[in-house]
Amino acid sequence: MDTLSQFRSIEELVKMLGREKVLLREMFERRKSMAFRASLAFEIVEYKRERVRFLIDHGVIHANGDFLELEDVYVKFFEEVLDMNEEISVASVKEYIDSLKENINYWLEETNEQRRFVYMGNVRKILRRIGLRTLKNIIDLKRKVDVAYKQEPNYKIKKEKLVKLDEKRKGIKTLMQECERLMTDRVAFFRMTADPDMQRTCMDVRNDFTDADHNLLEIEKQIIDYINQIEQQSILFKKIRRLKYLKDQLTWREDTDIQHVFETRNPLWMEQRPYNRIRLSLDMLRGNEELYSIIRRVATKAGVRRLSRTESEPIDKDFLEDSVEKVPSVNTTELWNAFKAQGADLFSFILNYHYTMPRDIHDHVVLYCQMATMHSGELRITDDYHTYNNIEYALIYAN
């Protein structure tokens, strides 16, 4: 087995991440599919195989036949930094607590002030990590509970997932209690340090635990409610299957009371009364006096009173005549194509261009700025300036 090369400095690592950012992004986005072909990687790095070999030799990616995989250490690094880690890691919090105990003991046994300061800094960092990791685990736990209940089609697997997640919830709760107990039992350490940053960190961790405790209570209620719904749905599903079996055997009327249940149920009694509007045709309303008198009687009986409407003024004949309004506009596409085909600067070209309608200097300046903005990537802007009618403009040419 070949020994992997190591990055010699942070600069070398950061340079590699910047150089291969496109390949690493594509591989990270497909980290769950496990189907990133080596041919696609060669295409991304412009068929420079030594760049892919460099990543393999330095342990950034792993070759598996015709496929490439991003190493777990970099996957976890990107997930942690981008806050995309979906794993609920109770073990990591347990490791933090063990490390917290060790550093507190080291601080109590150490006599050198400089090394005691290092241990105290480690304790402060670990406490902050425990608070952040706990909140992150709770966010992931809540999302996984919703996903397990709403997206898992198998009732048995759905219930097992919820039970496992409830165990994760209990583990997070236990570790929180252990950390709080540690801060209470080792109160002498936190008093002896007399460090404002340490006191502030302890207060932040306790506030994080308070928020986490409220969220864990909500998650516990949600899990219990979901499990109860699964139990009810499972019982209902079993009854439906049993009823289907009896119906296929033609014994469901004799062996069950379903006929009596159907006769006593009236599921339509809560529905609103349907209301259908019937619109009369205008021709009938205009030519049928009897129908008009019926409508008037119904309106009087219903208490509907509406004043008769007078006829409107006749429409002015000038309004019905066609009128053409000419708006000064320029086809910028044709203008750009014509500009590229010649060698003059942009402003001179706009001044001498043949327009269908007369334009003033203000229109030319607006069009000049518009064309320079629309095609900035295809223009060569020089440092030379000319003046026209007290207007100073830069000389701009097509690339």
Side-chain angles (χ1 to χ4, degrees):
M1 180 177 179
D2 298 335
T3 303
L4 294 177
S5 302
Q6 301 294 331
F7 290 102
R8 294 183 294 271
S9 63
I10 296 179
E11 288 79 5
E12 185 180 0
L13 175 61
V14 173
K15 183 179 179 181
M16 179 276 299
L17 294 176
R19 183 178 65 248
E20 308 300 347
K21 58 183 179 181
V22 178
L23 176 60
L24 296 177
R25 182 195 65 199
E26 295 292 335
M27 296 188 69
F28 181 72
E29 291 177 354
R30 305 186 189 185
R31 62 191 182 279
K32 296 182 179 180
S33 62
M34 302 297 179
F36 196 89
R37 291 189 172 275
S39 57
L40 179 58
F42 294 144
E43 181 179 349
I44 293 175
V45 300
E46 300 175 352
Y47 298 98
K48 297 180 180 179
R49 296 177 178 267
E50 62 274 7
R51 291 170 58 180
V52 178
R53 174 51 56 185
F54 177 83
L55 296 177
I56 295 175
D57 294 340
H58 285 72
V60 180
I61 60 178
H62 171 71
N64 185 11
D66 293 335
F67 298 93
L68 298 177
E69 299 176 7
L70 194 61
E71 289 291 350
D72 291 340
V73 62
Y74 287 93
V75 172
K76 293 180 180 179
F77 169 72
F78 293 144
E79 288 179 344
E80 289 292 337
V81 173
L82 300 175
D83 196 15
M84 296 180 179
N85 187 12
E86 298 180 351
E87 296 182 1
I88 303 173
S89 179
V90 181
S92 63
V93 180
K94 181 67 170 61
E95 293 175 357
Y96 287 150
I97 293 178
D98 294 339
S99 179
L100 184 65
K101 294 178 181 178
E102 294 175 1
N103 281 274
I104 292 176
N105 293 332
Y106 295 155
W107 186 89
L108 294 173
E109 296 173 359
E110 183 59 57
T111 57
N112 185 280
E113 289 298 329
Q114 185 175 1
R115 288 194 289 268
R116 293 185 76 185
F117 182 77
V118 173
Y119 293 138
M120 184 179 63
N122 293 338
V123 171
R124 187 169 57 250
K125 293 177 182 179
I126 294 171
L127 282 174
R128 189 160 54 246
R129 291 175 185 173
I130 290 175
L132 294 175
R133 173 53 62 184
T134 301
L135 294 178
K136 178 64 169 58
N137 284 341
I138 291 176
I139 294 174
D140 295 336
L141 179 64
K142 182 174 177 59
R143 183 180 66 252
K144 282 183 173 292
V145 168
D146 292 335
V147 171
Y149 179 77
K150 296 177 182 179
Q151 297 186 8
E152 177 56 51
N154 189 297
Y155 284 102
K156 185 176 180 181
I157 297 177
K158 182 184 297 186
K159 183 178 179 181
E160 291 179 359
K161 285 185 176 181
L162 291 175
V163 172
K164 292 291 185 183
L165 292 173
D166 190 51
E167 293 177 359
K168 294 279 189 181
R169 179 194 62 81
K170 294 178 181 178
I172 295 174
K173 180 67 175 179
T174 302
L175 293 175
M176 288 170 52
Q177 294 174 350
E178 185 176 352
C179 186
E180 289 179 343
R181 190 183 307 112
L182 178 63
M183 288 190 291
T184 303
D185 295 342
R186 299 298 180 95
V187 67
F189 163 79
F190 295 103
R191 288 179 179 176
M192 291 171 62
T193 55
D195 182 33
D197 292 337
M198 179 68 73
Q199 303 301 327
R200 192 181 305 110
T201 301
C202 293
M203 186 180 299
D204 292 340
V205 171
R206 286 192 170 93
N207 292 334
D208 292 341
F209 283 174
T210 301
D211 295 339
D213 196 42
H214 293 317
N215 290 323
L216 286 177
L217 288 175
E218 294 295 329
I219 293 174
E220 182 182 10
K221 294 178 182 178
Q222 194 71 52
I223 292 176
I224 293 174
D225 182 57
Y226 283 161
I227 292 178
N228 291 336
Q229 292 184 31
I230 292 173
E231 292 289 347
Q232 295 175 3
Q233 292 170 358
S234 179
I235 293 173
L236 179 62
F237 181 70
K238 292 179 181 179
K239 288 183 178 180
I240 294 175
R241 290 184 61 182
R242 177 63 180 172
L243 187 62
K244 176 65 169 57
Y245 172 76
L246 295 176
K247 181 179 181 301
D248 294 339
Q249 298 296 321
L250 302 179
T251 60
W252 66 327
R253 297 180 185 273
E254 195 67 28
D255 296 342
T256 65
D257 61 343
I258 188 171
Q259 185 173 359
H260 174 70
V261 172
F262 283 162
E263 291 175 353
T264 56
R265 296 291 178 90
N266 184 17
L268 300 178
W269 69 275
M270 294 186 65
E271 291 191 1
Q272 296 181 355
R273 181 178 178 181
Y275 177 74
N276 299 321
R277 286 186 177 181
I278 301 177
R279 300 183 182 274
L280 302 177
S281 66
L282 296 178
D283 294 336
M284 182 182 296
L285 293 174
R286 282 196 296 265
N288 194 329
E289 294 293 336
E290 182 180 0
L291 180 61
Y292 179 75
S293 62
I294 293 174
I295 294 175
R296 293 293 302 173
R297 288 200 304 268
V298 172
T300 304
K301 186 176 180 180
V304 178
R305 296 180 180 180
R306 180 174 295 179
L307 299 176
S308 60
R309 297 178 179 176
T310 59
E311 294 184 357
S312 61
E313 296 292 335
I315 300 176
D316 190 0
K317 294 182 179 180
D318 296 336
F319 182 78
L320 300 177
E321 294 180 356
D322 294 335
S323 60
V324 179
E325 181 181 0
K326 294 184 178 181
V327 179
S329 63
V330 178
N331 190 332
T332 56
T333 302
E334 294 182 358
L335 182 68
W336 171 249
N337 293 332
F339 172 67
K340 291 193 300 181
Q342 53 83 51
D345 64 277
L346 180 60
F347 194 81
S348 300
F349 174 76
I350 291 176
L351 288 176
N352 300 321
Y353 188 74
H354 178 69
Y355 301 98
T356 57
M357 297 183 64
R359 297 169 61 87
D360 56 14
I361 185 62
H362 175 73
D363 297 332
H364 293 325
V365 172
V366 172
L367 184 59
Y368 170 79
C369 297
Q370 181 181 1
M371 295 296 293
T373 304
M374 292 173 56
H375 304 280
S376 59
E378 304 176 59
L379 294 172
R380 179 170 56 87
I381 303 176
T382 65
D383 296 332
D384 299 331
Y385 291 86
H386 284 184
T387 302
Y388 179 83
N389 287 353
N390 296 326
I391 298 176
E392 187 179 17
Y393 62 91
L395 297 182
I396 300 177
Y397 299 92
N399 286 335

